[in-house]
Amino acid sequence: MTSDKVAPPGVDTTRPSIARVYDYYLGGKDNFAVDREAAQMAMQVTPDGPEAGRACRAFLRRSVRYLAAEAGIRQFLDLGSGLPTRGNVHEIAHQVDPDARVVYVDNDPMALAHGRALLADARTTTVVGADVRQPDELLAEMRDRKLIDFDQPVGLLLLAILHHLHDDDDPAGVARRLIDALPTGSYLAISHFYDPGETQPEVSAKARAVEKVFNETLGTGRWRTRDEILGFFGDLELIPPGLVPLAEWHPDGEEDTRQTATYHTIVGGVARKV
């Protein structure tokens, strides 16, 4: 179900929003006609867009569970967190430890409004308005407000966000600055649109076609090569199985997303700072 009746202050309902398009793919109600139109244009090239959205959320769930249950991470920094939906980071982490701390960061006014409403009484979870393209300012706020203890391991989540940074935003530099701030024993999880190039020419052509649609509607979206995406991890140690299609990273059988067209065009991985 969707509704265009009420929008929080500062929300522009005449232009599509990345967060709201994802919300539509996930079956949410916090989107508008312009968002649905953008999503449906992309689905003309890759009809399994909703399945891709669910695959991204399933990867989030599995990676956060791994970090909390197996790696012992007790504080998470989720950049580009988007609109709240089923299986939020704090809900997954708190299944392992109710005291785990989660900081959500986004610059979308609707994501911030809904996140703050959801977490109004939260003891261990905070929503912050900031721009990932300004990592120094973001990190300074984390330190000044004592939201993250950078003397203890951190689970840094860059899920479905770096592919929305243009090349001239220097996403590799952004990732490097954030990694440099992490103490030893921290982890980084990334999911990213992927262009397999000559290894899978038909898939690559589809990736380039949907990239064109995204940039014409949302103004953003980059399907990058394997080497480009691996470069975002810097010298961190990738956890097996490495950088793979989302469904292949620690599958647990809990959710079958049935991706078809997008299976090989979104990849994810988790790495440790040693």
Side-chain angles (χ1 to χ4, degrees), residues 45-46 193-197 200-215 221-224 261-262 264-266:
V45 182
T46 53
F193 293 154
Y194 172 54
D195 181 350
Q200 294 176 293
E202 291 184 5
V203 174
S204 178
K206 192 163 292 187
R208 290 195 299 271
V210 75
E211 179 180 79
K212 184 174 184 291
V213 171
F214 262 58
N215 280 276
R222 281 281 282 112
W223 274 248
R224 294 189 168 97
T262 61
H264 292 287
T265 61
I266 311 177

Side-chain angles (χ1 to χ4, degrees), residues 60 63-64 67 76-81 89 102 104 154-161 187-190:
L60 177 151
S63 59
V64 170
L67 294 180
F76 295 83
L77 180 55
D78 183 5
L79 304 185
S81 51
V89 173
V102 177
Y104 294 108
V154 178
L156 174 61
L157 308 178
L158 294 175
L159 303 178
I161 180 63
Y187 287 78
L188 168 63
I190 292 176

Side-chain angles (χ1 to χ4, degrees), residues 29-94:
K29 59 182 177 59
D30 297 318
N31 53 77
F32 300 93
V34 67
D35 307 303
R36 300 190 285 277
E37 290 168 6
Q40 288 161 5
M41 286 182 66
M43 287 167 63
Q44 292 177 14
V45 182
T46 53
D48 66 340
E51 286 78 9
R54 288 192 286 272
C56 289
R57 291 302 294 187
F59 175 75
L60 177 151
R61 173 176 52 77
R62 297 195 308 275
S63 59
V64 170
R65 183 178 295 165
Y66 171 87
L67 294 180
E70 299 189 42
I73 297 298
R74 292 297 178 265
Q75 52 178 350
F76 295 83
L77 180 55
D78 183 5
L79 304 185
S81 51
L83 283 154
T85 187
R86 181 173 62 88
N88 297 297
V89 173
H90 69 283
E91 294 169 329
I92 300 159
H94 289 169

Side-chain angles (χ1 to χ4, degrees), residues 121-144:
D121 299 320
R123 177 177 57 87
T124 61
T125 308
T126 306
V127 179
V128 174
D131 194 325
V132 70
R133 293 169 296 184
Q134 300 172 330
D136 291 327
E137 290 84 347
L138 189 157
L139 291 167
E141 181 167 7
M142 297 300 109
R143 293 189 179 97
D144 291 347

Side-chain angles (χ1 to χ4, degrees), residues 155-172:
L156 174 61
L157 308 178
L158 294 175
L159 303 178
I161 180 63
L162 291 176
H163 55 226
H164 289 301
L165 299 190
H166 295 289
D167 291 346
D168 56 10
D169 289 324
D170 189 19

